[in-house]
Amino acid sequence: MESLDLLVSADAFIRVVVFLLYAPICLIALRWLVPGLSPTARLLALVMLAAQILLLAAGLENIPRWDTRGWLLGLDQEWNFPSTFASAQLAVVGGAALLTALLAPPRQNLYRLNLVVIGALFLLFAWDEYFYLHEGNMPLKLAYVTVGALIAAASAKLALRRSGRARLWQISLMAGMALYVFGAVVLEPFHESDLQFFFLEIEGSVRVYNLEEALEYLGVWLVLVAVLGKLSAAKGRFSLLARLFLFLWPVLWTALLTRDAWLPRVELRFLAQPAAVAFESGTQLLGYRLERDREAVVLWLYPSAWRSHYRETGFSVQLIDQASGQSVASRSVHSDLQFYLLQIPAVAHVYRQKIVLDIPPDTPKKRAYWLTLAIWRERGDDFVFQNVQSSDHKLLGDKQIVLDEFVLRAEDAVPSAAPLADFENGITLSAAELPERASRGAALPIRFTWTAADAQNESYVQFFHLGHQASGEWQVYDQQPLGARLPTRFWYKGLTDSETWQVSLPADLAPGLYQVFTGLYRLDDHARLAATDFNGEPYVDARVPLGDLLIEDRE
């Protein structure tokens, strides 16, 4: 005798089961429940039902999960269209329940409390749906089931006390909760299974997660219909504000969930300083922004990379003393795990990475520092720093880029009331201390004290001239006023600082009396800065006289 078993593919079996599940429940709801809703609530319920049916129809197709379309529409994938819609529908239930509690009669305290608990719980469900808080967290799962059971019990009690449509809303709520819990809790552990039903032979593994998602979709929709029914009864004709809330809330919720997908691009466009840095791993730095105070530097990076590459990426930030080249502070972090709608695996995305670099309290002040960035990739126990292939920013070596340079400020003393010279850019030479005599072949110590009345943004060089009064010969020495530790482009308003020069006098320097002058000139064009004395009289040739110096033979 021939076998009467029917051979059905696993995918076809799931599609049939989902259809048999949806068809009667939707027909009953459309016949007995949806007509009782206000026009606005009815439209919202139908839109949510149509959206989930379209997503289920697309998600139940047999598309390889590694295919881009399969990733976007797969019911078992994270952070794609179905998972985002599932979270948004849960959030709509939560928002509608809280709105109903707000509009319910004030004397119905138990009823309002029930709605507030439902609203808060479904908002938590919505957040969990997208970010998987319950994954591997058994206590949280048990808490969900317990609270859900309490809500079902309270709804059953309310249903017994009510009649007509009010009872229908309670029954719809309980039925929806039952479907949702069955899908989310009972079926969740079963990912794929081999099933056989009497005369029905199923070819291939049944993707139970598709049935799970369908049950969750439908269960939440029934709860939504129930809550919208309660809202319709509480308010009657919706106010414009209530109608706007119902339709804008899922949009706002989706924007909140997917902020990591669009917010980095918005910040990159309007807030970040642009950059064009390419690393050998394929990661690119498109921009960054800084927030700095005396205690820390907060750095926001906007790198672009494939998702698979980005998960293996790390960032190292250092604060480096420009004069010594030593690092005074550093911080290394792994890339943040971020959640993205439409984060297609084989496409580069823009990410946002926050790094807080604490500045040690004993870090020397009034010194110029570089803030540098390096990128590394984790390979087993090794951290391989990536070479920079191209950059529009200054580099330190072949792996570090300079993001910023700045000076750590300090409280300064009040400058001298009788300065030696005021320069045209707001810089003042407050004092100069040098000996009356020196020996040739020895070091001549000179201490200069400078004050900045205004912030500076140019680089200046200080010259020091020795003019032999008898022969007319000159000795010229040039360097930055405060040395390499604090170039003038970092000078800030109110700065007062000193630097002692050690001028090496040649051994064959002619002995005798020398006139001593100093001044400033621009580094880019070597033009001297005009200087005036205490009375406002200009110095000739923009040279500030410091007095006479006697050069003697070394004893």
Side-chain angles (χ1 to χ4, degrees), residues 140-355:
L140 186 59
K141 291 182 179 180
L142 293 176
Y144 284 170
V145 173
T146 302
V147 175
L150 292 176
I151 291 177
S155 299
K157 182 178 180 180
L158 289 172
L160 294 175
R161 296 169 55 182
R162 294 177 180 273
S163 60
R165 288 198 179 277
R167 177 174 292 182
L168 287 178
W169 305 140
Q170 295 301 130
I171 294 174
S172 177
L173 192 150
M174 290 187 295
M177 288 289 293
L179 287 174
Y180 178 68
V181 170
F182 186 80
V185 177
V186 178
L187 292 185
E188 185 184 36
F190 303 96
H191 195 72
E192 294 188 13
S193 300
D194 294 324
L195 302 177
Q196 301 296 328
F197 293 97
F198 302 108
F199 61 87
L200 189 64
E201 182 178 351
I202 301 175
E203 183 180 25
S205 296
V206 176
R207 294 186 288 181
V208 181
Y209 55 79
N210 285 337
L211 180 59
E212 171 199 339
E213 290 299 322
L215 285 170
E216 291 181 19
Y217 273 1
L218 186 56
V220 174
W221 183 75
L222 286 176
V223 175
L224 174 62
V225 170
V227 173
L228 290 177
K230 295 172 181 287
L231 180 59
S232 300
K235 189 62 179 175
R237 292 177 59 85
F238 289 168
S239 67
L240 176 61
L241 185 60
R243 289 197 297 269
L244 287 175
F245 173 80
L246 285 178
F247 282 96
L248 288 179
W249 176 238
V251 177
L252 295 176
W253 182 265
T254 302
L256 175 64
L257 289 182
T258 62
R259 64 192 182 281
D260 285 337
W262 55 267
L263 190 56
R265 295 182 181 275
V266 173
E267 291 182 357
L268 178 62
R269 176 67 176 84
F270 296 103
L271 299 178
Q273 179 175 334
V277 184
F279 295 86
E280 62 179 329
S281 62
T283 300
Q284 298 184 52
L285 180 65
L286 304 182
Y288 60 92
R289 59 188 174 97
L290 294 167
E291 301 169 8
R292 176 167 48 86
D293 55 32
R294 294 185 178 183
E295 298 179 351
V297 176
V298 180
L299 176 63
W300 296 89
L301 301 174
Y302 299 93
S304 175
W306 286 14
R307 184 176 64 177
S308 58
H309 289 180
Y310 189 71
R311 288 178 174 177
E312 301 173 350
T313 299
F315 305 89
S316 290
V317 177
Q318 292 192 73
L319 194 62
I320 298 178
D321 189 319
Q322 292 191 14
S324 65
Q326 298 298 313
S327 173
V328 299
S330 63
R331 179 78 186 278
S332 294
V333 299
H334 283 87
S335 58
D336 288 338
L337 179 61
Q338 299 173 6
F339 304 88
Y340 291 87
L341 175 67
L342 303 183
Q343 192 195 72
I344 304 172
V347 175
H349 299 272
V350 177
Y351 302 84
R352 180 178 58 167
Q353 177 73 44
K354 180 181 180 181
I355 304 175

Side-chain angles (χ1 to χ4, degrees), residues 421-424 461 463 465 517-521 527-532 537-545:
D422 290 317
F423 291 87
E424 62 181 84
V461 178
F463 61 82
H465 293 174
F517 298 89
T518 193
L520 297 173
Y521 64 84
R528 290 183 182 177
L529 300 184
T532 59
E537 295 296 325
Y539 286 116
V540 178
D541 294 332
R543 296 193 305 174
V544 181

Side-chain angles (χ1 to χ4, degrees), residues 400-413:
Q400 284 184 301
I401 64 171
V402 176
L403 296 179
D404 195 18
E405 54 181 4
F406 55 86
V407 61
L408 296 180
R409 301 187 179 189
E411 298 296 332
D412 294 312

Side-chain angles (χ1 to χ4, degrees), residues 367-384:
R367 299 183 71 88
Y369 294 96
W370 284 309
L371 181 69
T372 67
L373 170 70
I375 288 182
W376 44 267
R377 301 193 72 190
E378 190 172 359
R379 289 289 181 266
D381 296 331
D382 294 330
F383 300 92
V384 182

